[in-house]
Amino acid sequence: MELRVKRASRIDREITVPGDKSISHRAVIVAALSNGVCTLNGFLPSEDCMRTVNAMRALGIKIEQPEATKLVVHGKRRVLTAPTADINCGNSGTTMRLVAGLLAGQKFESRLIGDPGLSKRPMDRVIAPLCEMGASVVAEGPDGTSPLRVSGGSLRGIQYRPSVASAQVKGALLLAGLFARGKTTVEEPTPTRNHMEKMLNYFLVRTTTEADGSVTVFGDQVPESRDFDIPGDISSAAFWLVAAAAQRRGHLLIRNVGLNDTRTAMLGVLLRMGAQVREAVEDVEQLEPRGIVEVTGVPLKATVIQGKEVPNLIDELPILSIAGVLASGKTTIRHAEELRVKETDRIAAIAHNLRTMGAQVTELSDGLEIYGPAPLHGARLPSFGDHRIAMAFAIAGLFADAETVIQDAECIRESYPGFESVIEEFTNPKRMQVSTPVIGSLAPVPAEEG
Ligand code: S3P
C-alpha cells in the first residue's frame, strides 16, 4: 500500500489518538494472569498488540473482543497451558520479549517465532537473564536471534543490571520474577518507561522502586482482577504534535492522552525548540496519568537530544528528526545507538529519507546531525517496513513542496490503525474542525438575554 501526502493546510484541530501500545500489551498479559474477568477499554487494536492477545489465547486464556477497542480477559490465576503450535509474534518485539519472560516461568516447552524483520532483532538481552534465573531459552537464529525455544519452571529471583536501557527487558524480568522464588530486581542503567510496574501495582501486585531506579518484584503473587482504561498513546500523538509545532501558528489539542513522565520527554524537546506546549494531567486514578496536551507552532530552533533523555523518547526520535529538519540550525541526536536495532536501522532510514527529500544530514554511529531549515521536496520514500519511519515521513510530506509517497505503508497498522485518515484531515481543509479554546483561557459566556 502507498500513502500519498501533500502539503498541510493550516493546522487548527482537536483530536484523540488510539490507545497506548506499551500499556495495551501489558494490560492484556497482567489481566490474563489475574484471578478473574477484566474489561480493558481503549485497547489499541493494532497488529502488534493483537500478537500479544493471540499469544495469551494460545496459552489457554479466553479473550473476547466485543468492540475493536474493548477486550474482556478471563484471567486464570496464573495458570497457563502449553500451546499446541509455535507462538507467532509477527513484527512485535514487545510481544516476543515480554512473552519470553512469561514463558520462562512455565514448566512446558514453547517456541516463539517472528517475521523476517523481528527475526533479525537481538534477543540475547532477555535470553541471558532468563537463563540466569534458571530457564532454558535457546535462540535458534544466528547471534541470539529468534526463533526462541523456551522451557522453564523453577525460577529463582536474581538481581540483574541490563547492559541496555530497555523497558522490554525490565518487563520480561518482572513477569518472570512473578513466577520465581524470592525477589527479582532489575537495576536500570537509565530509567525506562515504567508501565509494567504500574500495571502490576494497579492489579495489586507488590513491587518496589528505589531512588537509584532499581525495581523489585516479589514472586508468587496473583494479580487481583480489575477493569482498566488505556489512555491514548503519546508516541502516536507525537506525529501530530510535531506537525502543529513546526507550522507557524499551527494549533493542536489532544485529549485523553497518556502523560506518564517516563514517556513525555518529547514535550520537553519541543519546548526547547521554541514551541508553546502545555500539558494538563486530568486523572491519575488508575496510576497511569492521562490528560490534555496542547501545542502552538512557531519557527522552531535546533536542539541537542542526548544522554538520559534518550530512553524516554526513543520511539519519538524519527518524528523529532523531522522537527529538526524544519528547525533553524543543527539538531544533534546522540547516544541513540538502540535506534539501529528497532524495526529497521532507524538512523540509516532517517538519513536516507531526509537526503532523498533534499536535506543535509550526517549519520553518526549513535545518532544524527540534521541541518535545517531545509526546503523539503516531495519524493517517493521507502518505509523500510517500519511503522514509525513511515509515519514520520508522512508528516515530513505535510511540509514538502510536492506530493510525497510513502511506499509499503501497511506497516503503519502495527501501531496506528487510522493514521491515514488523520493525515487526510490535515491536508483537506474542507474536513477541518473548529478549534477548541486553549487550556485555562476559556472565553466568558455572555449572559442570555431575557
Ligand atoms: C517498548 C519499549 C521500547 C520501545 C518499544 C516499546 C515497550 O523498546 O522502543 O516501542 O513497550 O516496552 P526497548 O525496551 O527495546 O527500548
Side-chain angles (χ1 to χ4, degrees):
M1 180 196 111
E2 287 187 343
L3 176 60
R4 294 175 178 275
V5 183
K6 52 187 182 26
R7 192 175 267 280
S9 49
R10 170 122 194 280
I11 298 170
D12 190 359
R13 301 188 55 82
E14 178 184 325
I15 62 168
T16 55
V17 288
D20 188 279
K21 181 154 95 72
S22 294
I23 298 177
S24 292
H25 285 291
R26 287 158 172 80
V28 173
I29 294 174
V30 179
L33 298 177
S34 79
N35 59 355
V37 180
C38 311
T39 300
L40 308 176
N41 290 304
F43 171 76
L44 172 67
S46 73
E47 286 182 3
D48 272 15
C49 294
M50 288 312 295
R51 294 288 180 185
T52 294
V53 169
N54 288 330
M56 298 317 297
R57 284 177 173 151
L59 294 168
I61 302 297
K62 180 173 162 197
I63 303 177
E64 296 160 293
Q65 194 168 15
E67 293 160 30
T69 60
K70 181 178 189 146
L71 296 182
V72 181
V73 182
H74 296 252
K76 277 184 23 190
R77 291 189 73 87
R78 305 172 18 136
V79 176
L80 302 176
T81 46
T84 52
D86 292 346
I87 295 177
N88 190 345
C89 304
N91 193 249
S92 176
T94 311
T95 306
M96 186 170 279
R97 295 189 180 121
L98 294 184
V99 173
L102 190 61
L103 292 175
Q106 315 307 316
K107 291 222 159 40
F108 50 78
E109 194 170 292
S110 44
R111 192 162 174 266
L112 294 169
I113 59 170
D115 72 6
L118 180 55
S119 304
K120 287 197 212 104
R121 297 182 64 189
M123 292 297 145
D124 35 7
R125 53 186 63 191
V126 288
I127 295 173
L130 293 175
C131 290
E132 205 177 311
M133 292 176 83
S136 157
V137 185
V138 177
E140 294 178 10
D143 304 321
T145 53
S146 59
L148 299 184
R149 192 172 283 284
V150 189
S151 58
S154 53
L155 300 185
R156 56 185 169 272
I158 58 168
Q159 179 144 357
Y160 191 76
R161 189 174 177 80
S163 53
V164 282
S166 165
Q168 293 176 357
V169 173
K170 174 174 63 178
L173 298 189
L174 294 179
L175 287 174
L178 262 192
F179 290 87
R181 285 188 311 282
K183 57 180 192 174
T184 300
T185 301
V186 184
E187 292 173 16
E188 294 208 274
T190 320
T192 64
R193 64 191 73 190
N194 58 9
H195 301 305
M196 184 60 90
E197 301 90 295
K198 283 193 184 282
M199 192 58 66
L200 289 169
N201 296 160
Y202 177 72
F203 280 81
L204 305 184
V205 171
R206 190 166 152 239
T207 67
T208 56
T209 302
E210 302 304 324
D212 66 0
S214 57
V215 185
T216 297
V217 71
F218 301 85
D220 243 358
Q221 303 182 73
V222 181
E224 187 69 35
S225 65
R226 309 191 69 178
D227 298 339
F228 186 73
D229 297 329
I230 297 159
D233 195 324
I234 185 88
S235 301
S236 299
F239 297 104
W240 315 115
L241 292 171
V242 166
Q247 188 186 70
R248 189 193 287 260
R249 289 195 299 280
H251 173 244
L252 182 69
L253 189 139
I254 307 188
R255 291 192 190 276
N256 188 34
V257 65
L259 292 174
N260 179 317
D261 60 8
T262 62
R263 292 287 296 286
T264 52
M266 69 88 57
L267 298 177
V269 173
L270 288 183
L271 271 171
R272 243 172 25 229
M273 296 180 87
Q276 292 170 27
V277 183
R278 298 162 188 239
E279 62 172 303
V281 173
E282 295 181 315
D283 179 19
V284 287
E285 233 167 70
Q286 297 192 328
L287 302 188
E288 284 289 355
R290 62 198 78 205
I292 295 176
V293 177
E294 182 183 46
V295 69
T296 305
V298 293
L300 296 177
K301 303 184 298 261
T303 190
V304 179
I305 302 171
Q306 60 183 3
K308 285 195 185 323
E309 194 170 49
V310 168
N312 289 334
L313 45 66
I314 191 77
D315 291 339
E316 288 69 76
L317 289 173
I319 187 59
L320 286 172
S321 301
I322 306 304
V325 81
L326 297 169
S328 58
K330 179 175 85 173
T331 289
T332 305
I333 298 172
R334 300 292 313 275
H335 309 133
E337 55 278 355
E338 270 294 298
L339 288 183
R340 294 212 181 264
V341 291
K342 292 292 178 191
E343 283 79 336
T344 187
D345 175 344
R346 287 186 175 160
I347 294 177
I350 293 166
H352 175 276
N353 282 357
L354 282 179
R355 286 189 190 121
T356 309
M357 295 186 91
Q360 195 198 331
V361 187
T362 310
E363 197 179 317
L364 310 172
S365 61
D366 65 349
L368 296 150
E369 288 170 345
I370 300 165
Y371 297 84
L376 295 179
H377 306 306
R380 287 182 70 78
L381 301 171
S383 68
F384 299 91
D386 182 321
H387 53 126
R388 296 200 201 278
I389 295 295
M391 290 187 277
F393 281 90
I395 300 297
L398 295 176
F399 293 87
D401 60 2
E403 188 182 65
T404 297
V405 179
I406 311 294
Q407 298 165 306
D408 302 319
E410 58 282 345
C411 53
I412 290 173
R413 292 186 211 128
E414 272 144 31
S415 69
Y416 199 154
F419 176 86
E420 299 89 321
S421 50
V422 188
I423 271 278
E424 166 74 20
E425 287 167 21
F426 272 63
T427 52
N428 185 347
K430 276 181 254 119
R431 295 181 57 192
M432 290 218 326
Q433 292 174 357
V434 179
S435 77
T436 309
V438 292
I439 303 165
S441 52
L442 293 168
V445 181
E448 298 259 349
E449 281 182 18

